Amino acid sequence: MEAIRFIASGKQAFFKNPETNGKDMSFSYDHIHKIAILGMLGRTLGLGGYTKRKLIIEAKKELDPDFDESTIPLEFYEQLHRLKVSIIPLAERGYFPRNIYSFNNSTGHASKENGGNLVVRYKILEDVAWEIYVKNDGIDKKLFEKLKDALLNNRIEFEPLYLGQKKFPATISDISIIELEKPDRISKISSLFIKHDVKLGLVKFEEKSPFLTSCTLPKALNLEYGHVFDTFWFTNHTVKEVCSFEPFYSYEGKVLHFH
């Protein structure tokens, strides 16, 4: 099966985790996630995002205050959510350094403190890079061809692409069109994978010290209820058993989990 492969990297990234948003600090998810990837691809194609949807909702509510905003789709997600992605963190043990990023929000709407200035603090990811694979599981073929052409020829409709927020620009590199294969067997998984899809075995003796990192990431979006989450693992443990071969493909010796 044909897929798009590319590297997404940057000096800094921040994929806001609303569940850890305290009064003084906002935290990032540990990795880029499917919704963020679809957002970047949507900007590449010129598809509307959250800002366009918000403007449409505001216009509708001026006419009808009781208008149900959940009926207005998020354009990039509506058109691209059938794409499947696989994500390989390009960091030792899948862990990126963290740092504190602070800036002043002085719009006057952010704070009721004297001067109307709010100091915003993010715990961000630094020196990030992910190897990303995207395969078509049902979007319009012409749209998928347009996406391939746009990435290969740097025809980005809405620039810049960014890693979670516009403050953190993304570099997209090493873009190629590849052919995925179905693996005959699965002994190790090179990408992030959904925890409940796999039963793990032990680490082989010739491997480096064993590691298993776990993180909760969005895997889908419901406009009424918000993100749909799952637990993802990244590990050098061997695989004892998989629930199904359906989400797994291989490329150049790497076994990839798609979701």
Side-chain angles (χ1 to χ4, degrees), residues 6-11 40 128 130 161-163 168-173:
F6 60 91
I7 304 294
S9 62
K11 291 291 291 180
M40 285 201 304
V128 296
W130 295 272
L161 301 182
Y162 50 85
L163 297 171
F168 310 118
T171 298
I172 305 299
S173 60

Side-chain angles (χ1 to χ4, degrees), residues 1-6 134 144-145 147-149 151-152 174-180 251:
M1 172 176 282
E2 186 180 68
I4 305 168
R5 175 196 170 277
F6 60 91
V134 180
F144 192 65
E145 290 299 317
L147 176 61
K148 291 192 297 181
D149 177 71
L151 289 170
L152 288 170
D174 296 341
I175 304 159
S176 58
I177 308 302
I178 64 166
E179 284 293 327
L180 299 170
Y251 175 69

Side-chain angles (χ1 to χ4, degrees), residues 23-24 102-105 113 117-121:
K23 179 180 178 181
D24 299 318
S102 300
F103 65 96
N104 293 326
N105 186 336
E113 298 173 7
N117 185 64
L118 176 67
V119 178
V120 180
R121 300 170 72 221

